[in-house]
Amino acid sequence: MLAVKPPSPRKWRLYYARYKVRRTALIERLGGGCAVEDCRETENLEFDHKGNSRSWRTRDLPLKKRMDLYEAEALQGLLQLLCRSHNAAKSHAWR
């Protein structure tokens, strides 16, 4: 099996910086705060797939591909922002 060489620290910093810019822009596009009524949280926000619309596992994807899919879902109206506590409560309810 061939070993994959990890990116240099400099390349990783640039890659991660681009991810943060895209993530921040998507958060702003989705309203910048938790989608739950009466929740004013604007920090510790997480992307949430409305209903059970997701057909892919987030943690299995590289950051670029993850953002590509998040942006596509946002355009389709299938993505929302939730604060960490509301996202955890929703995830727990689905199990």
Side-chain angles (χ1 to χ4, degrees):
M1 180 179 231
L2 294 173
V4 177
K5 182 180 174 185
S8 69
R10 181 179 178 275
K11 282 186 180 180
W12 175 249
R13 280 192 305 274
L14 290 172
Y15 179 76
Y16 191 70
R18 284 192 296 265
Y19 161 78
K20 294 295 275 184
V21 166
R22 288 179 73 187
R23 185 178 190 281
T24 300
L26 186 54
I27 287 172
E28 289 175 11
R29 193 176 328 143
L30 292 171
C34 183
V36 174
E37 201 169 313
D38 297 330
C39 181
R40 305 226 188 289
E41 184 68 46
T42 58
E43 295 188 15
N44 299 319
L45 296 172
E46 300 176 352
F47 296 116
D48 176 65
H49 311 273
K50 291 182 181 178
N52 197 8
S53 64
R54 182 175 61 154
S55 61
W56 48 278
R57 287 177 40 147
T58 303
R59 65 180 154 242
D60 294 341
L61 298 173
L63 294 177
K64 182 186 180 314
K65 181 68 173 171
R66 188 180 311 173
M67 287 308 303
D68 290 344
L69 291 169
Y70 281 150
E71 288 169 343
E73 286 185 348
L75 289 174
Q76 297 170 17
L78 300 174
L79 194 69
Q80 64 184 354
L81 285 175
L82 293 179
C83 63
R84 187 169 290 150
S85 62
H86 283 120
N87 197 24
K90 181 184 174 203
S91 296
H92 183 69
W94 277 93
R95 291 183 183 155

